[in-house]
Amino acid sequence: DTAVSQTPKYLVTQMGNDKSIKCEQNLGHDTMYWYKQDSKKFLKIMFSYNNKELIINETVPNRFSPKSPDKAHLNLHINSLELGDSAVYFCASSHRGQFNYGYTFGSGTRLTVV
Amino acid sequence: DAKTTQPPSMDCAEGRAANLPCNHSTISGNEYVYWYRQIHSQGPQYIIHGLKNNETNEMASLIITEDRKSSTLILPHATLRDTAVYYCIVRARSSGSARQLTFGSGTQMTVLP
């Protein structure tokens, strides 16, 4: 059973397209996150979200938007894709009341914009 | 959250103990030290965390100095599969808002056969 699963694993698309990456967790966590890892391997937080609060990193363009249909899902929608959006995107989850296990990350989605 | 300083890279011989240092001289009283690692092409993996006491789990040990300004992650018997980037993160534990985990550049540890 995969704890945090992301789909697709690889995504190649053209500039200007709109795409979505899905994330699901089966851990019963109440908070989910999206991270971006660029070619220099830096991991940057994009969003964190629970049922009460959405925190957006101020450097994230508004072309990126998280959508959470329920507590187990946090999808990432990207409009008007640009070459610079090429990166690996990681979803993660955690539970506010359980700190012994930290964050659980998915295996990543490698997005390539051509 | 306090900043951390880690060496960019280090090697460790297979079967030996790996000691990864981290400096966090501006850490405040309510901030914990977390360690994660990222094996190539995988998502980051939680290893261990602590406040001021030394901690041990099935993966590693965490030694925090008495003044809490630095810590050391110890992998007792490194294997080739422990080759990864190791991140030391300092963060206040919060039961309230959706606190974010901020990653630095980490230490690339290579276990050599």
Side-chain angles (χ1 to χ4, degrees):
Chain A
D1 286 341
T2 303
V4 179
S5 59
Q6 299 179 223
T7 54
K9 189 171 177 63
Y10 299 96
L11 180 57
V12 181
T13 187
Q14 291 186 327
M15 284 174 53
N17 284 349
D18 302 338
K19 290 294 179 184
S20 295
I21 305 172
K22 295 185 177 181
C23 179
E24 176 182 6
Q25 54 95 4
N26 63 3
L27 299 167
H29 288 169
D30 60 6
T31 307
M32 297 182 73
Y33 312 83
W34 277 105
Y35 281 79
K36 177 182 180 181
Q37 188 166 41
D38 59 23
S39 58
K40 295 183 178 180
K41 304 298 185 183
F42 288 112
L43 268 164
K44 296 181 181 178
I45 181 73
M46 300 177 70
F47 305 100
S48 58
Y49 180 79
N50 62 27
N51 59 358
K52 295 181 181 179
E53 186 175 19
L54 170 65
I55 299 176
I56 303 171
N57 186 311
E58 61 188 12
T59 66
V60 175
N62 57 14
R63 298 181 294 104
F64 290 77
S65 58
K67 297 279 195 309
S68 181
D70 54 57
K71 287 174 61 174
H73 296 83
L74 184 66
N75 303 324
L76 182 65
H77 296 267
I78 316 169
N79 295 324
S80 302
L81 278 155
E82 301 177 357
L83 294 177
D85 298 333
S86 295
V88 181
Y89 292 84
F90 289 98
C91 177
S93 70
S94 69
H95 195 290
R96 286 174 300 168
Q98 297 173 1
F99 302 101
N100 290 336
Y101 301 100
Y103 288 27
T104 303
F105 283 80
S107 57
T109 295
R110 181 174 294 278
L111 171 66
T112 303
V113 182
V114 298
Chain B
D1 295 332
K3 289 187 176 179
T4 62
T5 303
Q6 300 177 252
S9 64
M10 61 175 288
D11 294 336
C12 179
E14 187 178 18
R16 305 296 289 267
N19 295 271
L20 294 101
C22 179
N23 286 325
H24 30 78
S25 58
T26 60
I27 193 170
S28 58
N30 68 338
E31 289 181 318
Y32 287 70
V33 180
Y34 288 81
W35 283 85
Y36 284 75
R37 73 180 182 182
Q38 186 175 23
I39 296 171
H40 181 62
S41 297
Q42 297 182 21
Q45 176 190 24
Y46 166 82
I47 301 173
I48 199 168
H49 77 281
L51 181 63
K52 51 184 177 182
N53 297 323
N54 297 338
E55 302 287 345
T56 295
N57 63 20
E58 65 278 4
M59 288 184 67
S61 295
L62 174 60
I63 308 298
I64 303 174
T65 58
E66 193 170 342
D67 63 7
R68 303 209 321 122
K69 293 185 176 182
S70 65
S71 60
T72 301
L73 177 74
I74 301 172
L75 307 179
H77 304 287
T79 71
L80 298 179
R81 289 179 295 180
D82 292 322
T83 292
V85 178
Y86 287 78
Y87 298 97
C88 169
I89 302 166
V90 172
R91 193 189 78 137
R93 199 170 91 171
S94 171
S95 60
S97 64
R99 294 283 309 198
Q100 302 175 348
L101 204 63
T102 302
F103 288 81
S105 53
T107 296
Q108 169 66 59
M109 186 182 79
T110 302
V111 179
L112 303 173

CSV table of all heavy atoms in Angstrom, one decimal, chain B residues 35-88:
chain,number,residue,atom,x,y,z
B,35,TRP,N,15.7,15.4,10.9
B,35,TRP,CA,16.6,14.9,9.8
B,35,TRP,C,15.7,14.1,8.8
B,35,TRP,O,14.9,13.3,9.2
B,35,TRP,CB,17.7,14.0,10.4
B,35,TRP,CG,18.8,14.8,11.0
B,35,TRP,CD1,18.9,15.2,12.3
B,35,TRP,CD2,20.0,15.2,10.4
B,35,TRP,NE1,20.1,15.8,12.5
B,35,TRP,CE2,20.8,15.8,11.4
B,35,TRP,CE3,20.6,15.0,9.1
B,35,TRP,CZ2,22.1,16.4,11.1
B,35,TRP,CZ3,21.8,15.5,8.9
B,35,TRP,CH2,22.6,16.2,9.9
B,36,TYR,N,16.0,14.5,7.5
B,36,TYR,CA,15.4,13.7,6.4
B,36,TYR,C,16.5,13.4,5.5
B,36,TYR,O,17.6,13.9,5.5
B,36,TYR,CB,14.4,14.6,5.6
B,36,TYR,CG,13.1,14.8,6.3
B,36,TYR,CD1,12.9,15.7,7.4
B,36,TYR,CD2,11.9,14.2,5.8
B,36,TYR,CE1,11.7,15.9,8.0
B,36,TYR,CE2,10.7,14.4,6.4
B,36,TYR,CZ,10.6,15.2,7.5
B,36,TYR,OH,9.4,15.4,8.1
B,37,ARG,N,16.2,12.4,4.6
B,37,ARG,CA,17.2,12.1,3.5
B,37,ARG,C,16.4,11.9,2.2
B,37,ARG,O,15.2,11.5,2.2
B,37,ARG,CB,18.0,10.9,3.9
B,37,ARG,CG,17.3,9.5,3.8
B,37,ARG,CD,18.2,8.4,4.2
B,37,ARG,NE,17.6,7.1,4.1
B,37,ARG,CZ,18.2,6.0,4.4
B,37,ARG,NH1,19.5,6.0,4.8
B,37,ARG,NH2,17.6,4.8,4.2
B,38,GLN,N,17.1,12.1,1.1
B,38,GLN,CA,16.6,11.9,-0.2
B,38,GLN,C,17.5,11.0,-1.0
B,38,GLN,O,18.6,11.5,-1.4
B,38,GLN,CB,16.3,13.2,-0.9
B,38,GLN,CG,15.5,13.0,-2.2
B,38,GLN,CD,15.2,14.3,-2.9
B,38,GLN,OE1,15.7,15.4,-2.6
B,38,GLN,NE2,14.2,14.3,-3.7
B,39,ILE,N,17.1,9.8,-1.2
B,39,ILE,CA,17.8,8.9,-2.1
B,39,ILE,C,17.5,9.3,-3.5
B,39,ILE,O,16.4,9.7,-3.8
B,39,ILE,CB,17.5,7.5,-1.7
B,39,ILE,CG1,17.9,7.1,-0.3
B,39,ILE,CG2,18.1,6.5,-2.8
B,39,ILE,CD1,17.4,5.8,0.2
B,40,HIS,N,18.5,9.1,-4.4
B,40,HIS,CA,18.3,9.6,-5.8
B,40,HIS,C,17.0,9.1,-6.4
B,40,HIS,O,16.6,8.0,-6.3
B,40,HIS,CB,19.5,9.0,-6.6
B,40,HIS,CG,19.5,9.5,-8.0
B,40,HIS,ND1,19.6,10.8,-8.4
B,40,HIS,CD2,19.4,8.8,-9.1
B,40,HIS,CE1,19.5,10.9,-9.7
B,40,HIS,NE2,19.4,9.7,-10.2
B,41,SER,N,16.3,10.1,-7.0
B,41,SER,CA,15.1,9.9,-7.7
B,41,SER,C,13.9,9.5,-6.8
B,41,SER,O,12.9,9.0,-7.3
B,41,SER,CB,15.3,8.8,-8.8
B,41,SER,OG,16.2,9.3,-9.8
B,42,GLN,N,14.0,9.6,-5.5
B,42,GLN,CA,12.9,9.3,-4.6
B,42,GLN,C,12.5,10.6,-3.8
B,42,GLN,O,13.2,11.6,-3.8
B,42,GLN,CB,13.3,8.2,-3.6
B,42,GLN,CG,13.7,6.9,-4.3
B,42,GLN,CD,14.0,5.8,-3.2
B,42,GLN,OE1,13.7,5.9,-2.1
B,42,GLN,NE2,14.7,4.8,-3.7
B,43,GLY,N,11.4,10.5,-3.2
B,43,GLY,CA,11.0,11.6,-2.3
B,43,GLY,C,11.7,11.5,-1.0
B,43,GLY,O,12.3,10.5,-0.6
B,44,PRO,N,11.8,12.7,-0.3
B,44,PRO,CA,12.5,12.7,0.9
B,44,PRO,C,11.9,11.8,1.9
B,44,PRO,O,10.7,11.5,1.9
B,44,PRO,CB,12.3,14.2,1.4
B,44,PRO,CG,12.1,14.9,0.1
B,44,PRO,CD,11.3,14.0,-0.8
B,45,GLN,N,12.7,11.3,2.8
B,45,GLN,CA,12.3,10.3,3.8
B,45,GLN,C,12.6,10.8,5.2
B,45,GLN,O,13.7,11.2,5.5
B,45,GLN,CB,13.0,8.9,3.6
B,45,GLN,CG,12.7,7.9,4.6
B,45,GLN,CD,13.6,6.6,4.4
B,45,GLN,OE1,14.7,6.7,3.9
B,45,GLN,NE2,13.1,5.5,4.9
B,46,TYR,N,11.6,10.8,6.1
B,46,TYR,CA,11.9,11.2,7.5
B,46,TYR,C,12.8,10.2,8.2
B,46,TYR,O,12.6,9.0,8.0
B,46,TYR,CB,10.5,11.3,8.2
B,46,TYR,CG,10.7,11.3,9.7
B,46,TYR,CD1,10.9,12.5,10.4
B,46,TYR,CD2,10.5,10.2,10.5
B,46,TYR,CE1,11.0,12.6,11.8
B,46,TYR,CE2,10.6,10.3,11.9
B,46,TYR,CZ,10.9,11.5,12.5
B,46,TYR,OH,11.0,11.5,13.9
B,47,ILE,N,13.8,10.7,9.0
B,47,ILE,CA,14.7,9.8,9.7
B,47,ILE,C,14.4,9.9,11.2
B,47,ILE,O,14.1,8.9,11.8
B,47,ILE,CB,16.1,10.1,9.4
B,47,ILE,CG1,16.5,10.0,7.9
B,47,ILE,CG2,17.1,9.2,10.2
B,47,ILE,CD1,17.9,10.5,7.6
B,48,ILE,N,14.5,11.1,11.8
B,48,ILE,CA,14.5,11.2,13.2
B,48,ILE,C,14.3,12.6,13.6
B,48,ILE,O,14.6,13.5,12.7
B,48,ILE,CB,15.8,10.6,13.8
B,48,ILE,CG1,15.6,10.3,15.3
B,48,ILE,CG2,16.9,11.5,13.6
B,48,ILE,CD1,16.7,9.4,15.9
B,49,HIS,N,13.9,12.9,14.8
B,49,HIS,CA,13.8,14.3,15.2
B,49,HIS,C,14.0,14.3,16.8
B,49,HIS,O,13.8,13.3,17.4
B,49,HIS,CB,12.6,15.0,14.8
B,49,HIS,CG,11.4,14.7,15.7
B,49,HIS,ND1,10.6,13.5,15.5
B,49,HIS,CD2,10.8,15.4,16.7
B,49,HIS,CE1,9.6,13.5,16.3
B,49,HIS,NE2,9.7,14.6,17.1
B,50,GLY,N,14.4,15.5,17.3
B,50,GLY,CA,14.6,15.6,18.7
B,50,GLY,C,14.6,17.1,19.1
B,50,GLY,O,14.7,18.0,18.3
B,51,LEU,N,14.5,17.3,20.4
B,51,LEU,CA,14.4,18.6,21.0
B,51,LEU,C,15.7,18.9,21.7
B,51,LEU,O,16.4,19.8,21.4
B,51,LEU,CB,13.2,18.8,22.0
B,51,LEU,CG,13.1,20.1,22.6
B,51,LEU,CD1,12.8,21.2,21.5
B,51,LEU,CD2,11.9,20.1,23.6
B,52,LYS,N,16.0,18.2,22.8
B,52,LYS,CA,17.3,18.4,23.5
B,52,LYS,C,17.9,17.1,24.0
B,52,LYS,O,19.1,17.0,24.1
B,52,LYS,CB,17.1,19.3,24.7
B,52,LYS,CG,16.0,19.0,25.6
B,52,LYS,CD,15.8,20.0,26.7
B,52,LYS,CE,14.6,19.7,27.6
B,52,LYS,NZ,14.5,20.8,28.6
B,53,ASN,N,17.1,16.1,24.1
B,53,ASN,CA,17.7,14.8,24.5
B,53,ASN,C,18.1,14.0,23.3
B,53,ASN,O,17.6,14.2,22.2
B,53,ASN,CB,16.7,13.9,25.3
B,53,ASN,CG,16.2,14.6,26.6
B,53,ASN,OD1,17.1,15.2,27.2
B,53,ASN,ND2,15.0,14.5,26.9
B,54,ASN,N,19.1,13.1,23.5
B,54,ASN,CA,19.5,12.3,22.4
B,54,ASN,C,18.4,11.3,22.1
B,54,ASN,O,17.7,10.9,22.9
B,54,ASN,CB,20.8,11.5,22.7
B,54,ASN,CG,22.0,12.5,23.0
B,54,ASN,OD1,22.0,13.6,22.5
B,54,ASN,ND2,22.9,12.0,23.7
B,55,GLU,N,18.2,11.0,20.8
B,55,GLU,CA,17.2,10.1,20.3
B,55,GLU,C,17.7,9.0,19.5
B,55,GLU,O,18.8,9.2,18.8
B,55,GLU,CB,16.2,10.9,19.5
B,55,GLU,CG,15.5,12.1,20.2
B,55,GLU,CD,14.5,11.7,21.3
B,55,GLU,OE1,14.1,10.5,21.3
B,55,GLU,OE2,14.1,12.5,22.1
B,56,THR,N,17.1,7.9,19.6
B,56,THR,CA,17.5,6.7,18.7
B,56,THR,C,16.2,6.0,18.2
B,56,THR,O,15.3,5.9,19.0
B,56,THR,CB,18.3,5.7,19.6
B,56,THR,OG1,19.5,6.3,19.9
B,56,THR,CG2,18.7,4.5,18.7
B,57,ASN,N,16.3,5.6,17.0
B,57,ASN,CA,15.2,4.8,16.4
B,57,ASN,C,15.9,3.7,15.6
B,57,ASN,O,17.1,3.5,15.6
B,57,ASN,CB,14.1,5.6,15.7
B,57,ASN,CG,14.7,6.3,14.5
B,57,ASN,OD1,15.8,5.9,13.9
B,57,ASN,ND2,14.0,7.3,14.0
B,58,GLU,N,15.1,3.0,14.8
B,58,GLU,CA,15.6,1.8,14.1
B,58,GLU,C,16.5,2.3,12.9
B,58,GLU,O,17.3,1.5,12.4
B,58,GLU,CB,14.4,1.0,13.5
B,58,GLU,CG,13.5,1.7,12.5
B,58,GLU,CD,12.5,2.5,13.2
B,58,GLU,OE1,12.5,2.7,14.4
B,58,GLU,OE2,11.7,3.1,12.4
B,59,MET,N,16.4,3.5,12.6
B,59,MET,CA,17.3,4.0,11.4
B,59,MET,C,18.5,4.6,11.9
B,59,MET,O,19.6,4.5,11.3
B,59,MET,CB,16.5,5.0,10.6
B,59,MET,CG,15.4,4.4,9.8
B,59,MET,SD,14.6,5.7,8.7
B,59,MET,CE,15.9,6.1,7.6
B,60,ALA,N,18.5,5.4,13.0
B,60,ALA,CA,19.6,6.3,13.3
B,60,ALA,C,19.5,6.8,14.7
B,60,ALA,O,18.6,6.5,15.4
B,60,ALA,CB,19.6,7.5,12.4
B,61,SER,N,20.6,7.5,15.1
B,61,SER,CA,20.7,8.1,16.4
B,61,SER,C,20.9,9.6,16.2
B,61,SER,O,21.6,10.0,15.2
B,61,SER,CB,21.8,7.6,17.3
B,61,SER,OG,21.5,6.3,17.7
B,62,LEU,N,20.4,10.4,17.0
B,62,LEU,CA,20.5,11.9,16.9
B,62,LEU,C,21.1,12.4,18.3
B,62,LEU,O,20.6,12.1,19.3
B,62,LEU,CB,19.2,12.6,16.7
B,62,LEU,CG,19.2,14.1,16.7
B,62,LEU,CD1,20.1,14.7,15.7
B,62,LEU,CD2,17.7,14.6,16.5
B,63,ILE,N,22.3,13.0,18.1
B,63,ILE,CA,23.0,13.6,19.3
B,63,ILE,C,22.9,15.1,19.2
B,63,ILE,O,23.3,15.7,18.2
B,63,ILE,CB,24.5,13.1,19.3
B,63,ILE,CG1,24.6,11.6,19.2
B,63,ILE,CG2,25.1,13.6,20.6
B,63,ILE,CD1,23.9,10.8,20.3
B,64,ILE,N,22.3,15.7,20.2
B,64,ILE,CA,22.2,17.1,20.3
B,64,ILE,C,23.1,17.7,21.4
B,64,ILE,O,23.0,17.2,22.5
B,64,ILE,CB,20.7,17.6,20.5
B,64,ILE,CG1,19.8,17.0,19.3
B,64,ILE,CG2,20.6,19.1,20.5
B,64,ILE,CD1,18.3,17.2,19.5
B,65,THR,N,23.9,18.7,21.1
B,65,THR,CA,24.8,19.2,22.1
B,65,THR,C,23.9,19.9,23.2
B,65,THR,O,22.8,20.3,23.0
B,65,THR,CB,25.7,20.2,21.5
B,65,THR,OG1,25.0,21.3,20.9
B,65,THR,CG2,26.7,19.6,20.5
B,66,GLU,N,24.6,20.0,24.4
B,66,GLU,CA,23.9,20.6,25.5
B,66,GLU,C,23.3,22.0,25.3
B,66,GLU,O,22.2,22.3,25.7
B,66,GLU,CB,24.8,20.6,26.7
B,66,GLU,CG,24.0,20.8,28.1
B,66,GLU,CD,24.9,20.6,29.3
B,66,GLU,OE1,25.9,19.9,29.1
B,66,GLU,OE2,24.5,21.0,30.4
B,67,ASP,N,24.1,22.8,24.5
B,67,ASP,CA,23.6,24.1,24.2
B,67,ASP,C,22.7,24.2,23.0
B,67,ASP,O,22.2,25.2,22.6
B,67,ASP,CB,24.8,25.1,24.0
B,67,ASP,CG,25.6,24.7,22.8
B,67,ASP,OD1,25.3,23.8,22.0
B,67,ASP,OD2,26.7,25.3,22.6
B,68,ARG,N,22.5,23.0,22.4
B,68,ARG,CA,21.5,22.8,21.3
B,68,ARG,C,22.0,23.6,20.0
B,68,ARG,O,21.2,23.7,19.1
B,68,ARG,CB,20.1,23.2,21.7
B,68,ARG,CG,19.6,22.5,22.8
B,68,ARG,CD,18.1,22.3,22.9
B,68,ARG,NE,17.3,23.4,22.4
B,68,ARG,CZ,16.5,23.3,21.3
B,68,ARG,NH1,16.3,22.2,20.7
B,68,ARG,NH2,15.8,24.4,21.0
B,69,LYS,N,23.2,24.0,20.0
B,69,LYS,CA,23.6,24.8,18.8
B,69,LYS,C,24.1,23.9,17.7
B,69,LYS,O,24.4,24.3,16.6
B,69,LYS,CB,24.7,25.8,19.2
B,69,LYS,CG,24.1,26.9,20.1
B,69,LYS,CD,25.1,28.0,20.4
B,69,LYS,CE,24.5,29.1,21.2
B,69,LYS,NZ,25.5,30.2,21.5
B,70,SER,N,24.3,22.6,17.9
B,70,SER,CA,24.7,21.7,16.9
B,70,SER,C,24.2,20.3,17.2
B,70,SER,O,23.8,20.0,18.3
B,70,SER,CB,26.2,21.7,16.7
B,70,SER,OG,26.8,21.2,17.8
B,71,SER,N,24.1,19.5,16.1
B,71,SER,CA,23.7,18.1,16.3
B,71,SER,C,24.4,17.2,15.3
B,71,SER,O,25.0,17.7,14.4
B,71,SER,CB,22.2,18.0,16.1
B,71,SER,OG,21.8,18.4,14.8
B,72,THR,N,24.4,15.9,15.6
B,72,THR,CA,25.0,14.9,14.7
B,72,THR,C,24.0,13.8,14.5
B,72,THR,O,23.5,13.2,15.5
B,72,THR,CB,26.3,14.4,15.4
B,72,THR,OG1,27.2,15.4,15.6
B,72,THR,CG2,27.0,13.4,14.4
B,73,LEU,N,23.8,13.4,13.3
B,73,LEU,CA,23.1,12.3,12.9
B,73,LEU,C,24.0,11.1,12.7
B,73,LEU,O,25.0,11.2,12.1
B,73,LEU,CB,22.3,12.5,11.6
B,73,LEU,CG,21.5,11.3,11.1
B,73,LEU,CD1,20.2,11.1,12.0
B,73,LEU,CD2,21.1,11.4,9.7
B,74,ILE,N,23.7,10.0,13.4
B,74,ILE,CA,24.6,8.8,13.3
B,74,ILE,C,23.9,7.6,12.7
B,74,ILE,O,22.8,7.2,13.2
B,74,ILE,CB,25.2,8.4,14.7
B,74,ILE,CG1,25.9,9.6,15.3
B,74,ILE,CG2,26.1,7.2,14.6
B,74,ILE,CD1,26.3,9.4,16.7
B,75,LEU,N,24.4,7.1,11.6
B,75,LEU,CA,24.0,5.9,11.0
B,75,LEU,C,25.0,4.8,11.5
B,75,LEU,O,26.1,4.9,11.0
B,75,LEU,CB,23.9,5.9,9.5
B,75,LEU,CG,23.0,7.1,8.9
B,75,LEU,CD1,23.1,7.0,7.4
B,75,LEU,CD2,21.6,7.1,9.4
B,76,PRO,N,24.6,3.9,12.3
B,76,PRO,CA,25.6,3.1,13.0
B,76,PRO,C,26.4,2.2,12.0
B,76,PRO,O,27.6,1.9,12.3
B,76,PRO,CB,24.8,2.2,14.0
B,76,PRO,CG,23.4,2.3,13.5
B,76,PRO,CD,23.3,3.6,12.8
B,77,HIS,N,25.8,1.7,11.0
B,77,HIS,CA,26.5,0.8,10.1
B,77,HIS,C,26.0,1.1,8.7
B,77,HIS,O,25.0,0.6,8.2
B,77,HIS,CB,26.2,-0.7,10.4
B,77,HIS,CG,26.5,-1.1,11.8
B,77,HIS,ND1,27.8,-1.3,12.2
B,77,HIS,CD2,25.6,-1.3,12.8
B,77,HIS,CE1,27.7,-1.6,13.5
B,77,HIS,NE2,26.5,-1.7,13.9
B,78,ALA,N,26.8,2.0,8.0
B,78,ALA,CA,26.3,2.5,6.7
B,78,ALA,C,26.4,1.4,5.7
B,78,ALA,O,27.3,0.6,5.6
B,78,ALA,CB,27.2,3.7,6.3
B,79,THR,N,25.4,1.4,4.8
B,79,THR,CA,25.3,0.5,3.7
B,79,THR,C,25.3,1.4,2.4
B,79,THR,O,25.0,2.6,2.5
B,79,THR,CB,24.1,-0.4,3.7
B,79,THR,OG1,22.9,0.4,3.5
B,79,THR,CG2,24.0,-1.1,5.1
B,80,LEU,N,25.5,0.7,1.3
B,80,LEU,CA,25.5,1.4,0.0
B,80,LEU,C,24.1,2.1,-0.2
B,80,LEU,O,24.0,3.2,-0.8
B,80,LEU,CB,25.8,0.5,-1.1
B,80,LEU,CG,27.2,-0.2,-1.1
B,80,LEU,CD1,27.3,-1.1,-2.3
B,80,LEU,CD2,28.3,0.9,-1.1
B,81,ARG,N,23.1,1.5,0.3
B,81,ARG,CA,21.7,2.1,0.1
B,81,ARG,C,21.5,3.3,1.0
B,81,ARG,O,20.5,4.0,0.8
B,81,ARG,CB,20.7,1.1,0.5
B,81,ARG,CG,20.6,-0.1,-0.5
B,81,ARG,CD,19.5,-1.1,-0.1
B,81,ARG,NE,19.9,-1.8,1.1
B,81,ARG,CZ,19.1,-2.7,1.7
B,81,ARG,NH1,18.0,-3.1,1.1
B,81,ARG,NH2,19.5,-3.3,2.8
B,82,ASP,N,22.5,3.7,1.9
B,82,ASP,CA,22.3,4.9,2.6
B,82,ASP,C,22.9,6.1,1.9
B,82,ASP,O,22.9,7.2,2.4
B,82,ASP,CB,23.1,4.8,4.0
B,82,ASP,CG,22.4,3.8,4.9
B,82,ASP,OD1,21.1,3.7,4.9
B,82,ASP,OD2,23.1,3.0,5.6
B,83,THR,N,23.5,5.9,0.7
B,83,THR,CA,23.9,7.0,-0.1
B,83,THR,C,22.7,7.9,-0.5
B,83,THR,O,21.8,7.4,-1.1
B,83,THR,CB,24.6,6.5,-1.4
B,83,THR,OG1,25.8,5.8,-1.1
B,83,THR,CG2,24.9,7.6,-2.4
B,84,ALA,N,22.8,9.2,-0.1
B,84,ALA,CA,21.7,10.1,-0.2
B,84,ALA,C,22.1,11.5,0.1
B,84,ALA,O,23.2,11.7,0.6
B,84,ALA,CB,20.5,9.6,0.7
B,85,VAL,N,21.2,12.4,-0.1
B,85,VAL,CA,21.4,13.8,0.5
B,85,VAL,C,20.6,13.8,1.8
B,85,VAL,O,19.5,13.4,1.9
B,85,VAL,CB,20.8,14.8,-0.5
B,85,VAL,CG1,20.9,16.2,0.1
B,85,VAL,CG2,21.5,14.8,-1.8
B,86,TYR,N,21.3,14.2,2.8
B,86,TYR,CA,20.8,14.3,4.2
B,86,TYR,C,20.5,15.7,4.5
B,86,TYR,O,21.4,16.6,4.4
B,86,TYR,CB,21.7,13.6,5.2
B,86,TYR,CG,21.8,12.1,5.0
B,86,TYR,CD1,22.5,11.5,4.0
B,86,TYR,CD2,21.0,11.3,5.9
B,86,TYR,CE1,22.4,10.1,3.8
B,86,TYR,CE2,21.0,9.9,5.8
B,86,TYR,CZ,21.7,9.4,4.7
B,86,TYR,OH,21.7,8.0,4.6
B,87,TYR,N,19.3,16.0,5.0
B,87,TYR,CA,18.9,17.3,5.3
B,87,TYR,C,18.6,17.5,6.8
B,87,TYR,O,17.9,16.7,7.4
B,87,TYR,CB,17.6,17.7,4.6
B,87,TYR,CG,17.6,17.7,3.1
B,87,TYR,CD1,17.2,16.6,2.4
B,87,TYR,CD2,18.1,18.8,2.4
B,87,TYR,CE1,17.2,16.6,1.0
B,87,TYR,CE2,18.1,18.9,1.1
B,87,TYR,CZ,17.7,17.7,0.4
B,87,TYR,OH,17.7,17.8,-1.0
B,88,CYS,N,19.2,18.5,7.4
B,88,CYS,CA,19.0,18.8,8.8
B,88,CYS,C,18.1,20.1,8.8
B,88,CYS,O,18.4,21.1,8.1
B,88,CYS,CB,20.3,19.2,9.5
B,88,CYS,SG,20.2,19.9,11.1
